[in-house]
Amino acid sequence: SPAEEENPAWSPGWTRIAFQSNRNGNWDIYTMRVDCDPQGAGAEERCDLRQLTADPADDLLPAWSPDGRTIAFVSTRDGNPEIYVMDSQGGTQHRLTFTPTGDWRPAWRSDSMHLVFASDRGGNNDIYQLAVPDLAAGPLAAEPEIVPVITGPADDRDPAVVAGLVERLLFLSDRDGLMRTYVFEPNAQPRPFAETDQPEAHPAVLPGEYYAILVSSERGGTTDIYQGGFSGYAPLSPSPGFDGHPAGGAVAWRPDTAASLAWLLESVPASEVTNLAQAGQR
């Protein structure tokens, strides 16, 4: 596309990406298949390009929930950046945060029921959490309870969730004078993810990697994507152009079991459901 496209986010099944595009004059959220040829005539149909938002304000920063059913995003449609959610087809768009300041960068917890996000509601950027209500319950009149997660005088932003037996958070902070990635674990103080003397942006999780992450970093006047860890930083996209906003992998897929069972009972013959259950027992 001749327009700008930014901030990709994988669907949990690795079959689609969500992203923001200004191809229609302002930022909106789109999704598309990834197993297609995006070049040439008919690419939009071939790749099943779907426009999920169409508000005249800007809709940005999509984040796909681990159960695949919901996409969180940021919108300025109410006058300032707030967190919104919608179903994965673009329907039932609801506002979650209500503050005159700015809320940014939503990231899902592994349970698909909680979001962490950055907000300057306390006077500087900190990281907060909220419980996402059921979309079927209708629009909210006020925000749900907002719980501080990482606060302080530093600029703390851009959270990313690392799923596992113990869930961790990656985030950016300038608390030691350099904007770089920190890791936060339950009952522990945030610590730098790795030693670096270069500023970082947009930390992203690498599936299956405990000691490595993706970041974008400007070095020598050029922004590239790096794989960073205890052994150092290696450029993955060296080029003279801008390379940023890495999406390392899909959030850990945790399907909603009740919804999956309901779909099976509705869509699959009863005999096949029995066969599936017996196969699972074996």
Side-chain angles (χ1 to χ4, degrees), residues 71-85:
I71 294 175
F73 63 102
V74 172
S75 180
T76 62
R77 63 186 66 181
D78 287 299
N80 65 297
E82 304 282 6
I83 307 296
Y84 284 70
V85 287

mmCIF file with all atom_site columns, all heavy atoms in Angstrom, residues 71-85:
data_model
loop_
_atom_site.group_PDB
_atom_site.id
_atom_site.type_symbol
_atom_site.label_atom_id
_atom_site.label_alt_id
_atom_site.label_comp_id
_atom_site.label_asym_id
_atom_site.label_entity_id
_atom_site.label_seq_id
_atom_site.pdbx_PDB_ins_code
_atom_site.Cartn_x
_atom_site.Cartn_y
_atom_site.Cartn_z
_atom_site.occupancy
_atom_site.B_iso_or_equiv
_atom_site.pdbx_formal_charge
_atom_site.auth_seq_id
_atom_site.auth_comp_id
_atom_site.auth_asym_id
_atom_site.auth_atom_id
_atom_site.pdbx_PDB_model_num
ATOM 1   N N   . ILE A 1 71 ? -10.206 -7.581 20.333 1.00 0.00 ? 71 ILE A N   1
ATOM 2   C CA  . ILE A 1 71 ? -9.067  -6.736 20.010 1.00 0.00 ? 71 ILE A CA  1
ATOM 3   C C   . ILE A 1 71 ? -9.197  -5.447 20.815 1.00 0.00 ? 71 ILE A C   1
ATOM 4   O O   . ILE A 1 71 ? -10.233 -4.769 20.755 1.00 0.00 ? 71 ILE A O   1
ATOM 5   C CB  . ILE A 1 71 ? -9.001  -6.416 18.511 1.00 0.00 ? 71 ILE A CB  1
ATOM 6   C CG1 . ILE A 1 71 ? -8.719  -7.698 17.710 1.00 0.00 ? 71 ILE A CG1 1
ATOM 7   C CG2 . ILE A 1 71 ? -7.913  -5.377 18.214 1.00 0.00 ? 71 ILE A CG2 1
ATOM 8   C CD1 . ILE A 1 71 ? -8.745  -7.505 16.206 1.00 0.00 ? 71 ILE A CD1 1
ATOM 9   N N   . ALA A 1 72 ? -8.180  -5.141 21.582 1.00 0.00 ? 72 ALA A N   1
ATOM 10  C CA  . ALA A 1 72 ? -8.106  -3.851 22.270 1.00 0.00 ? 72 ALA A CA  1
ATOM 11  C C   . ALA A 1 72 ? -7.369  -2.868 21.364 1.00 0.00 ? 72 ALA A C   1
ATOM 12  O O   . ALA A 1 72 ? -6.516  -3.258 20.563 1.00 0.00 ? 72 ALA A O   1
ATOM 13  C CB  . ALA A 1 72 ? -7.383  -3.998 23.605 1.00 0.00 ? 72 ALA A CB  1
ATOM 14  N N   . PHE A 1 73 ? -7.710  -1.587 21.497 1.00 0.00 ? 73 PHE A N   1
ATOM 15  C CA  . PHE A 1 73 ? -7.039  -0.581 20.692 1.00 0.00 ? 73 PHE A CA  1
ATOM 16  C C   . PHE A 1 73 ? -7.183  0.773  21.373 1.00 0.00 ? 73 PHE A C   1
ATOM 17  O O   . PHE A 1 73 ? -7.910  0.932  22.358 1.00 0.00 ? 73 PHE A O   1
ATOM 18  C CB  . PHE A 1 73 ? -7.603  -0.538 19.262 1.00 0.00 ? 73 PHE A CB  1
ATOM 19  C CG  . PHE A 1 73 ? -9.065  -0.156 19.151 1.00 0.00 ? 73 PHE A CG  1
ATOM 20  C CD1 . PHE A 1 73 ? -9.444  1.122  18.759 1.00 0.00 ? 73 PHE A CD1 1
ATOM 21  C CD2 . PHE A 1 73 ? -10.070 -1.082 19.413 1.00 0.00 ? 73 PHE A CD2 1
ATOM 22  C CE1 . PHE A 1 73 ? -10.771 1.484  18.643 1.00 0.00 ? 73 PHE A CE1 1
ATOM 23  C CE2 . PHE A 1 73 ? -11.416 -0.736 19.298 1.00 0.00 ? 73 PHE A CE2 1
ATOM 24  C CZ  . PHE A 1 73 ? -11.767 0.551  18.913 1.00 0.00 ? 73 PHE A CZ  1
ATOM 25  N N   . VAL A 1 74 ? -6.478  1.757  20.833 1.00 0.00 ? 74 VAL A N   1
ATOM 26  C CA  . VAL A 1 74 ? -6.533  3.132  21.327 1.00 0.00 ? 74 VAL A CA  1
ATOM 27  C C   . VAL A 1 74 ? -7.291  3.964  20.314 1.00 0.00 ? 74 VAL A C   1
ATOM 28  O O   . VAL A 1 74 ? -7.087  3.824  19.105 1.00 0.00 ? 74 VAL A O   1
ATOM 29  C CB  . VAL A 1 74 ? -5.116  3.702  21.536 1.00 0.00 ? 74 VAL A CB  1
ATOM 30  C CG1 . VAL A 1 74 ? -5.163  5.195  21.853 1.00 0.00 ? 74 VAL A CG1 1
ATOM 31  C CG2 . VAL A 1 74 ? -4.394  2.947  22.642 1.00 0.00 ? 74 VAL A CG2 1
ATOM 32  N N   . SER A 1 75 ? -8.167  4.850  20.793 1.00 0.00 ? 75 SER A N   1
ATOM 33  C CA  . SER A 1 75 ? -8.913  5.727  19.906 1.00 0.00 ? 75 SER A CA  1
ATOM 34  C C   . SER A 1 75 ? -8.956  7.138  20.489 1.00 0.00 ? 75 SER A C   1
ATOM 35  O O   . SER A 1 75 ? -9.024  7.307  21.714 1.00 0.00 ? 75 SER A O   1
ATOM 36  C CB  . SER A 1 75 ? -10.339 5.226  19.685 1.00 0.00 ? 75 SER A CB  1
ATOM 37  O OG  . SER A 1 75 ? -11.052 6.094  18.806 1.00 0.00 ? 75 SER A OG  1
ATOM 38  N N   . THR A 1 76 ? -8.945  8.116  19.587 1.00 0.00 ? 76 THR A N   1
ATOM 39  C CA  . THR A 1 76 ? -9.091  9.518  19.997 1.00 0.00 ? 76 THR A CA  1
ATOM 40  C C   . THR A 1 76 ? -10.499 10.033 19.706 1.00 0.00 ? 76 THR A C   1
ATOM 41  O O   . THR A 1 76 ? -10.731 11.243 19.703 1.00 0.00 ? 76 THR A O   1
ATOM 42  C CB  . THR A 1 76 ? -8.062  10.406 19.272 1.00 0.00 ? 76 THR A CB  1
ATOM 43  O OG1 . THR A 1 76 ? -8.284  10.344 17.855 1.00 0.00 ? 76 THR A OG1 1
ATOM 44  C CG2 . THR A 1 76 ? -6.636  9.953  19.575 1.00 0.00 ? 76 THR A CG2 1
ATOM 45  N N   . ARG A 1 77 ? -11.440 9.136  19.462 1.00 0.00 ? 77 ARG A N   1
ATOM 46  C CA  . ARG A 1 77 ? -12.776 9.546  19.031 1.00 0.00 ? 77 ARG A CA  1
ATOM 47  C C   . ARG A 1 77 ? -13.534 10.339 20.094 1.00 0.00 ? 77 ARG A C   1
ATOM 48  O O   . ARG A 1 77 ? -14.526 11.003 19.770 1.00 0.00 ? 77 ARG A O   1
ATOM 49  C CB  . ARG A 1 77 ? -13.599 8.322  18.604 1.00 0.00 ? 77 ARG A CB  1
ATOM 50  C CG  . ARG A 1 77 ? -13.862 7.321  19.701 1.00 0.00 ? 77 ARG A CG  1
ATOM 51  C CD  . ARG A 1 77 ? -14.550 6.067  19.169 1.00 0.00 ? 77 ARG A CD  1
ATOM 52  N NE  . ARG A 1 77 ? -13.702 5.300  18.265 1.00 0.00 ? 77 ARG A NE  1
ATOM 53  C CZ  . ARG A 1 77 ? -14.103 4.166  17.663 1.00 0.00 ? 77 ARG A CZ  1
ATOM 54  N NH1 . ARG A 1 77 ? -15.327 3.706  17.870 1.00 0.00 ? 77 ARG A NH1 1
ATOM 55  N NH2 . ARG A 1 77 ? -13.262 3.517  16.876 1.00 0.00 ? 77 ARG A NH2 1
ATOM 56  N N   . ASP A 1 78 ? -13.121 10.268 21.339 1.00 0.00 ? 78 ASP A N   1
ATOM 57  C CA  . ASP A 1 78 ? -13.763 11.047 22.390 1.00 0.00 ? 78 ASP A CA  1
ATOM 58  C C   . ASP A 1 78 ? -12.906 12.220 22.837 1.00 0.00 ? 78 ASP A C   1
ATOM 59  O O   . ASP A 1 78 ? -13.099 12.756 23.931 1.00 0.00 ? 78 ASP A O   1
ATOM 60  C CB  . ASP A 1 78 ? -14.105 10.149 23.578 1.00 0.00 ? 78 ASP A CB  1
ATOM 61  C CG  . ASP A 1 78 ? -15.278 9.232  23.270 1.00 0.00 ? 78 ASP A CG  1
ATOM 62  O OD1 . ASP A 1 78 ? -16.369 9.764  22.992 1.00 0.00 ? 78 ASP A OD1 1
ATOM 63  O OD2 . ASP A 1 78 ? -15.095 8.007  23.272 1.00 0.00 ? 78 ASP A OD2 1
ATOM 64  N N   . GLY A 1 79 ? -11.955 12.609 21.998 1.00 0.00 ? 79 GLY A N   1
ATOM 65  C CA  . GLY A 1 79 ? -11.216 13.831 22.259 1.00 0.00 ? 79 GLY A CA  1
ATOM 66  C C   . GLY A 1 79 ? -9.795  13.648 22.752 1.00 0.00 ? 79 GLY A C   1
ATOM 67  O O   . GLY A 1 79 ? -8.990  14.572 22.671 1.00 0.00 ? 79 GLY A O   1
ATOM 68  N N   . ASN A 1 80 ? -9.485  12.494 23.302 1.00 0.00 ? 80 ASN A N   1
ATOM 69  C CA  . ASN A 1 80 ? -8.123  12.206 23.745 1.00 0.00 ? 80 ASN A CA  1
ATOM 70  C C   . ASN A 1 80 ? -7.916  10.695 23.691 1.00 0.00 ? 80 ASN A C   1
ATOM 71  O O   . ASN A 1 80 ? -8.885  9.936  23.575 1.00 0.00 ? 80 ASN A O   1
ATOM 72  C CB  . ASN A 1 80 ? -7.877  12.744 25.156 1.00 0.00 ? 80 ASN A CB  1
ATOM 73  C CG  . ASN A 1 80 ? -8.739  12.056 26.185 1.00 0.00 ? 80 ASN A CG  1
ATOM 74  O OD1 . ASN A 1 80 ? -9.963  12.153 26.133 1.00 0.00 ? 80 ASN A OD1 1
ATOM 75  N ND2 . ASN A 1 80 ? -8.129  11.359 27.130 1.00 0.00 ? 80 ASN A ND2 1
ATOM 76  N N   . PRO A 1 81 ? -6.692  10.215 23.749 1.00 0.00 ? 81 PRO A N   1
ATOM 77  C CA  . PRO A 1 81 ? -6.449  8.780  23.609 1.00 0.00 ? 81 PRO A CA  1
ATOM 78  C C   . PRO A 1 81 ? -7.048  7.982  24.780 1.00 0.00 ? 81 PRO A C   1
ATOM 79  O O   . PRO A 1 81 ? -6.703  8.226  25.938 1.00 0.00 ? 81 PRO A O   1
ATOM 80  C CB  . PRO A 1 81 ? -4.922  8.666  23.576 1.00 0.00 ? 81 PRO A CB  1
ATOM 81  C CG  . PRO A 1 81 ? -4.436  10.034 23.215 1.00 0.00 ? 81 PRO A CG  1
ATOM 82  C CD  . PRO A 1 81 ? -5.419  10.977 23.819 1.00 0.00 ? 81 PRO A CD  1
ATOM 83  N N   . GLU A 1 82 ? -7.917  7.032  24.462 1.00 0.00 ? 82 GLU A N   1
ATOM 84  C CA  . GLU A 1 82 ? -8.533  6.150  25.452 1.00 0.00 ? 82 GLU A CA  1
ATOM 85  C C   . GLU A 1 82 ? -8.446  4.711  24.951 1.00 0.00 ? 82 GLU A C   1
ATOM 86  O O   . GLU A 1 82 ? -8.262  4.452  23.756 1.00 0.00 ? 82 GLU A O   1
ATOM 87  C CB  . GLU A 1 82 ? -10.004 6.527  25.692 1.00 0.00 ? 82 GLU A CB  1
ATOM 88  C CG  . GLU A 1 82 ? -10.259 7.956  26.112 1.00 0.00 ? 82 GLU A CG  1
ATOM 89  C CD  . GLU A 1 82 ? -9.962  8.217  27.579 1.00 0.00 ? 82 GLU A CD  1
ATOM 90  O OE1 . GLU A 1 82 ? -9.451  7.319  28.267 1.00 0.00 ? 82 GLU A OE1 1
ATOM 91  O OE2 . GLU A 1 82 ? -10.251 9.348  28.032 1.00 0.00 ? 82 GLU A OE2 1
ATOM 92  N N   . ILE A 1 83 ? -8.601  3.758  25.883 1.00 0.00 ? 83 ILE A N   1
ATOM 93  C CA  . ILE A 1 83 ? -8.569  2.336  25.536 1.00 0.00 ? 83 ILE A CA  1
ATOM 94  C C   . ILE A 1 83 ? -9.979  1.881  25.170 1.00 0.00 ? 83 ILE A C   1
ATOM 95  O O   . ILE A 1 83 ? -10.942 2.155  25.903 1.00 0.00 ? 83 ILE A O   1
ATOM 96  C CB  . ILE A 1 83 ? -8.033  1.487  26.704 1.00 0.00 ? 83 ILE A CB  1
ATOM 97  C CG1 . ILE A 1 83 ? -6.676  2.027  27.181 1.00 0.00 ? 83 ILE A CG1 1
ATOM 98  C CG2 . ILE A 1 83 ? -7.917  0.021  26.285 1.00 0.00 ? 83 ILE A CG2 1
ATOM 99  C CD1 . ILE A 1 83 ? -5.574  1.954  26.175 1.00 0.00 ? 83 ILE A CD1 1
ATOM 100 N N   . TYR A 1 84 ? -10.090 1.187  24.062 1.00 0.00 ? 84 TYR A N   1
ATOM 101 C CA  . TYR A 1 84 ? -11.345 0.614  23.588 1.00 0.00 ? 84 TYR A CA  1
ATOM 102 C C   . TYR A 1 84 ? -11.152 -0.892 23.351 1.00 0.00 ? 84 TYR A C   1
ATOM 103 O O   . TYR A 1 84 ? -10.012 -1.369 23.225 1.00 0.00 ? 84 TYR A O   1
ATOM 104 C CB  . TYR A 1 84 ? -11.784 1.256  22.269 1.00 0.00 ? 84 TYR A CB  1
ATOM 105 C CG  . TYR A 1 84 ? -12.371 2.642  22.402 1.00 0.00 ? 84 TYR A CG  1
ATOM 106 C CD1 . TYR A 1 84 ? -11.562 3.727  22.742 1.00 0.00 ? 84 TYR A CD1 1
ATOM 107 C CD2 . TYR A 1 84 ? -13.721 2.876  22.186 1.00 0.00 ? 84 TYR A CD2 1
ATOM 108 C CE1 . TYR A 1 84 ? -12.093 5.004  22.863 1.00 0.00 ? 84 TYR A CE1 1
ATOM 109 C CE2 . TYR A 1 84 ? -14.267 4.149  22.301 1.00 0.00 ? 84 TYR A CE2 1
ATOM 110 C CZ  . TYR A 1 84 ? -13.444 5.206  22.636 1.00 0.00 ? 84 TYR A CZ  1
ATOM 111 O OH  . TYR A 1 84 ? -13.972 6.465  22.755 1.00 0.00 ? 84 TYR A OH  1
ATOM 112 N N   . VAL A 1 85 ? -12.253 -1.596 23.245 1.00 0.00 ? 85 VAL A N   1
ATOM 113 C CA  . VAL A 1 85 ? -12.226 -2.997 22.831 1.00 0.00 ? 85 VAL A CA  1
ATOM 114 C C   . VAL A 1 85 ? -13.328 -3.229 21.804 1.00 0.00 ? 85 VAL A C   1
ATOM 115 O O   . VAL A 1 85 ? -14.319 -2.500 21.753 1.00 0.00 ? 85 VAL A O   1
ATOM 116 C CB  . VAL A 1 85 ? -12.413 -3.975 24.018 1.00 0.00 ? 85 VAL A CB  1
ATOM 117 C CG1 . VAL A 1 85 ? -11.179 -4.038 24.880 1.00 0.00 ? 85 VAL A CG1 1
ATOM 118 C CG2 . VAL A 1 85 ? -13.641 -3.617 24.845 1.00 0.00 ? 85 VAL A CG2 1
#
